[in-house]
Amino acid sequence: QVQLVQSGSELKKPGASVKVSCKASGNSFSNSAMNWVRQAPGQGLEWMGWIDTDTGNPTYAQGFTGRFMFSLDTSLRTTYLQISSLNPDDTAIYYCARGGRGLYKSGWYPYQFDDWGQGTLVTVSS
Amino acid sequence: DIVMTQSPDSLAVSLGERATINCKSSQSLLYNSNNKNYLAWYQQKPGQPPKLLIYWASTRQSGVPDRFSGSGSGTDFTLTISSLQAEDVAVYYCQQYYDPLTFGQGTRVEI
């Protein structure tokens, strides 16, 4: 099992940027998919995309291109989510979640999420 | 994208009774090459991150009580809690990871 510890809450003004970190400890960091999930206040779960921990290749879900960036520092076992040009609609809890990935159909795809970080609340307000 | 629709949106069940949550996908989640359904179930309690309960539609995650079970294939899936306990009050989500990955809207289970 992998423990995921995320950085603390953030309060940002519209137009600013934020970088959220997710540090992994324990086994099974390599050969994994590190996913990011958004949960707006009182709402459901929305998958933002994933990054392959072996190649560092990011994949973004529809609606999460342009202002969102995933990155990885394998030496620190840490994954990052950066959001630029923040607006109030970005106010949400952001979770990192680790799972396996598999080669099928035309490429690598993430599987179910075995481990979750505790979540990071990002509040965007003037 | 594949659309996942859960029913009902909320459910009130007495302690010790059965709870059943349905999840329907807009296309089949069964990958014929390995005969696996790419569906998972999660439980989210207030103020906590989600927790994986079931994957491959019916495989229980290690440590999950056996009162939780998953069934179904293709486009129709069910999560069953055989005997509801007080600690099972939560929102439950289905998730498909066939192409590429989407969640259902969630089902709130109350006592």
Side-chain angles (χ1 to χ4, degrees):
Chain A
Q1 187 159 356
V2 176
Q3 291 77 46
L4 301 175
V5 178
Q6 297 183 225
S7 50
S9 298
E10 301 269 8
L11 174 60
K12 296 291 185 181
K13 293 191 183 303
S17 297
V18 68
K19 193 170 187 177
V20 177
S21 66
C22 171
K23 184 173 179 59
S25 60
N27 299 323
S28 304
F29 180 74
S30 59
N31 299 315
S32 294
M34 292 298 295
N35 298 268
W36 289 95
V37 176
R38 182 171 76 178
Q39 188 168 39
Q43 301 300 308
L45 305 171
E46 192 173 16
W47 180 66
M48 301 172 66
W50 70 291
I51 187 165
D52 188 313
T53 61
D54 280 358
T55 66
N57 181 48
T59 300
Y60 301 94
Q62 283 187 13
F64 294 99
T65 57
R67 297 190 299 117
F68 301 85
M69 187 171 72
F70 309 143
S71 58
L72 187 67
D73 186 330
T74 52
S75 65
L76 298 178
R77 300 166 66 94
T78 300
T79 309
Y80 301 94
L81 163 66
Q82 185 163 350
I83 311 173
S84 59
S85 302
L86 285 162
N87 62 70
D89 288 342
D90 294 319
T91 295
I93 297 174
Y94 292 85
Y95 294 102
C96 60
R98 188 211 71 85
R101 82 253 198 276
L103 182 62
Y104 74 105
K105 295 193 289 181
S106 58
W108 289 91
Y109 288 81
Y111 287 161
Q112 75 281 352
F113 302 165
D114 299 326
D115 308 292
W116 292 71
Q118 83 276 19
T120 296
L121 174 62
V122 175
T123 303
V124 183
S125 174
S126 54
Chain B
D1 284 3
I2 297 176
V3 177
M4 306 298 290
T5 304
Q6 293 181 228
S7 61
D9 288 334
S10 64
L11 182 62
V13 178
S14 300
L15 288 173
E17 296 299 305
R18 178 184 299 260
T20 301
I21 300 169
N22 300 302
C23 177
K24 189 174 184 68
S25 61
S26 59
Q27 56 185 273
S28 177
L29 305 183
L30 177 63
Y31 188 47
N32 292 326
S33 296
N34 58 15
N35 201 37
K36 288 186 174 183
N37 286 281
Y38 283 54
L39 182 107
W41 289 96
Y42 297 86
Q43 174 194 66
Q44 187 177 31
K45 296 181 180 179
Q48 297 185 19
K51 172 188 172 184
L52 177 66
L53 298 176
I54 303 285
Y55 58 99
W56 300 129
S58 61
T59 302
R60 196 178 304 114
Q61 175 71 330
S62 175
V64 173
D66 60 7
R67 63 180 180 274
F68 292 93
S69 63
S71 62
S73 184
T75 61
D76 293 282
F77 301 89
T78 300
L79 175 70
T80 301
I81 310 173
S82 61
S83 175
L84 192 79
Q85 306 299 302
E87 61 265 32
D88 300 335
V89 169
V91 178
Y92 293 83
Y93 294 93
C94 61
Q95 174 205 51
Q96 66 81 16
Y97 44 100
Y98 184 87
D99 184 16
L101 205 148
T102 47
F103 289 94
Q105 82 276 17
T107 294
R108 186 176 304 276
V109 174
E110 302 168 322
I111 294 175

